[in-house]
Amino acid sequence: MNQYQATTLSGHFDPLAAATALARAGLFDRHVVYEREEEWCYAGGALGEVILDSAELRVRWGGDETVEPVGTRPLAQVAAALGRLPISDWNSYGWVAFELSYLTRRQVDVPAGVPLLHLIVPRTEVRLRAGRVVIRTTDPSSSDLVKRLIETPQPEPNGALAPAPIDHYGAEVYQKSVVAAVDDIRRGELQKVILSRPVPVAGPVDMPATYLRGRRMNTPARSFLLDLGGWRATGFSPETVVEVDADGAVSTQPLAGTRAHGLGDEQDSLLRQELLEDAKEIYEHAISVKLGYEEMRTVCDPDSVAVSDFMTVKPRGSVQHLGSRVVGQLAPGKSAWDALEALFPAITASGVPKEAAYERIVRLEPSPRGLYSGAVLTASSDGSMDAALVLRALYEQDGHAWLRAGAGIVADSQPARELEETREKLSSVAPHVIGAQLPVS
């Protein structure tokens, strides 16, 4: 049985800068940085890995790999695989693609061989707060390297901004898709669907520099920076898909209904009031909360499920949202993975009902979503889980970088306004994207 060795540092730290420096240093060939409630976690290297696609679940430990076919409960298989790993007191980190929802709900065919979930149990894990850092590792030499990086001030990364055509790219096609979705909604085929548009970013990007700059300019519920499984991404998540503590308390945080933010106190206040009085935005929010409540009751003691913090306004960088929280207590025999299965994908990134929304997303969007509207998460051996909804993010795969944003379409949606909402959301990230500095030949 492997064991972690722990080292604690006390002092005054900038946890955001330190976590970014660890990611930039390239200590490991894969990493995940995950921020939650003023704590940044850096997970580096892979002691173990769990990778899921539509056909197979692969589990790696050391030099060994086992493969099993995917059954009817893929997330239960993931949970069981993590539980069999020969290490105690583990935390796992990774991502879940939006298209996993097609597999778990058996609604849309998923191409074979496309990874849908990738988790690592790290070789080295660093938890950073302003006054304390805890380093856990199975490799003592890594602990020394990490300690030196944290205790040595690192220069601020710099570079030129990378342009992204957020105003016009795909705008005409997007508005036509909104019209088609509204027609379906008015015919009674569904109540709501989130439609998104991708926007390319010119040239290679500097993910750590973008994360550092973007996080300082945003007010997310969670943030992340990762290089894992062929994906490089960073983002400033406005909400969580699911939160589960070790005692089985569960919550989800739907945000729906949007106005711009960051335009000055007076204008922000006017837009906030407009948001609170807009019937279309209130309806969009209310049906999202209702479905979240119903989904929570499938895995929680029904009497424990309640709505708290109903329809308050949450500022999230360049936008402000109507937000609520649905809470409950896991029913006997249910786990955090059952809660994720019930709540994923987030209502606020799919639609109502979800199954009808999937068909429109596949038909009306220009490309598969991948990480967009999926989740970056951490899950632990004590049964806890925290999963951030992947929005307001920068993505890079196979040398191509892009942004993506969507809007909730309901019967009263206006194409021009929904397009403008995507621009407002893209503005949480686009002004902060830093291009990579290419080596001089």
Side-chain angles (χ1 to χ4, degrees):
M1 178 72 73
N2 290 267
Q3 295 290 335
Y4 285 106
Q5 299 178 28
T7 302
T8 300
L9 309 177
S10 298
H12 299 284
F13 306 102
D14 180 341
L16 168 60
T20 304
L22 290 172
R24 178 178 288 281
L27 300 177
F28 301 96
D29 60 353
R30 64 207 81 181
H31 63 257
V32 178
V33 172
Y34 190 82
E35 176 204 357
R36 176 191 182 189
E37 298 171 353
E38 300 183 357
E39 180 178 75
W40 276 256
C41 297
Y42 166 84
L47 197 61
E49 284 183 284
V50 177
I51 304 166
L52 177 76
D53 64 28
S54 63
E56 295 180 338
L57 177 70
R58 299 193 301 281
V59 182
R60 297 171 181 163
W61 186 267
D64 298 327
E65 179 176 284
T66 62
V67 180
E68 62 184 77
V70 172
T72 58
R73 297 287 309 283
L75 289 179
Q77 289 180 261
V78 170
L82 287 168
R84 292 192 297 267
L85 295 180
I87 189 167
S88 60
D89 193 23
W90 52 263
N91 299 308
S92 63
Y93 299 82
W95 53 259
V96 181
F98 177 81
E99 284 76 17
L100 177 68
S101 57
Y102 301 160
L103 180 65
T104 58
R105 296 178 183 247
R106 305 291 170 178
Q107 193 70 22
V108 179
D109 290 336
V110 184
V114 177
L116 302 173
L117 173 148
H118 196 135
L119 298 174
I120 58 170
V121 173
R123 292 186 178 279
T124 297
E125 177 189 60
V126 187
R127 293 181 172 267
L128 304 110
R129 288 186 173 271
R132 190 179 75 155
V133 173
V134 178
I135 305 167
R136 295 202 317 156
T137 185
T138 58
D139 178 8
S141 63
S142 295
S143 182
D144 294 336
L145 289 171
V146 167
K147 183 178 178 181
R148 284 199 296 271
L149 277 167
I150 292 171
E151 293 181 335
T152 304
Q154 302 296 311
E156 286 281 313
N158 55 49
L161 296 177
I166 66 172
D167 289 332
H168 58 82
Y169 189 88
E172 182 177 353
V173 171
Y174 184 77
Q175 291 186 88
K176 289 179 178 178
S177 296
V178 172
V179 170
V182 167
D183 288 344
D184 287 351
I185 292 167
R186 290 177 177 173
R187 284 195 294 268
E189 297 175 9
L190 71 168
Q191 293 175 278
K192 172 183 175 179
V193 62
I194 285 73
L195 293 181
S196 69
R197 65 182 179 109
V199 174
V201 174
V205 294
D206 186 330
M207 282 289 176
T210 298
Y211 176 63
L212 185 62
R213 177 187 172 95
R215 176 60 186 87
R216 286 179 173 162
M217 301 302 292
N218 273 278
T219 51
R222 303 287 188 269
S223 72
F224 63 87
L225 169 66
L226 63 83
D227 185 345
L228 179 64
W231 284 94
R232 297 177 68 236
T234 187
F236 317 103
S237 173
E239 64 188 275
T240 55
V241 181
V242 65
E243 302 166 48
V244 185
D245 69 19
D247 296 323
V250 189
S251 72
T252 187
Q253 186 188 33
L255 271 63
T258 305
R259 285 294 185 274
H261 186 259
L263 305 177
D265 291 345
E266 182 176 356
Q267 185 65 14
D268 286 350
S269 180
L270 288 171
L271 289 171
R272 178 182 184 276
Q273 193 60 36
E274 181 182 300
L275 177 59
L276 286 166
E277 296 173 354
D278 189 304
K280 178 262 179 186
E281 304 287 1
I282 292 170
Y283 170 76
E284 179 188 343
H285 184 80
I287 61 174
S288 299
V289 174
K290 180 177 182 291
L291 182 53
Y293 181 89
E294 292 168 352
E295 290 178 338
M296 287 277 282
R297 284 173 62 90
T298 67
V299 291
C300 292
D301 175 353
D303 292 336
S304 72
V305 180
V307 178
S308 66
D309 194 28
F310 180 65
M311 215 173 75
T312 58
V313 177
K314 306 291 186 185
R316 294 290 187 254
S318 63
V319 290
Q320 49 189 323
H321 297 289
L322 296 176
S324 297
R325 186 174 289 276
V326 185
V327 299
Q329 184 71 31
L330 284 177
K334 297 295 185 179
S335 72
W337 293 95
D338 295 313
L340 180 62
E341 181 178 352
L343 293 161
F344 185 85
I347 299 155
T348 51
S350 52
V352 181
K354 287 182 176 179
E355 288 74 10
Y358 298 156
E359 192 278 330
R360 274 76 188 174
I361 290 168
V362 170
R363 175 164 56 88
L364 297 174
E365 292 192 349
S367 60
R369 289 184 168 189
L371 285 192
Y372 169 77
S373 68
V376 173
L377 63 85
T378 176
S380 303
S381 58
D382 64 4
S384 62
M385 176 183 287
D386 197 85
L389 175 58
V390 179
L391 302 175
R392 319 293 185 268
L394 170 67
Y395 313 89
E396 186 179 63
Q397 193 176 44
D398 299 327
H400 300 284
W402 67 96
L403 309 171
R404 192 162 185 157
I409 314 305
V410 296
D412 292 335
S413 288
Q414 299 297 318
R417 169 58 202 151
E418 304 303 347
L419 176 65
E420 181 60 25
E421 183 172 318
T422 68
R423 292 180 180 131
E424 291 167 355
K425 292 172 178 176
L426 289 164
S427 295
S428 288
V429 184
H432 314 304
V433 177
I434 304 296
Q437 294 184 344
L438 300 177
V440 178
S441 57

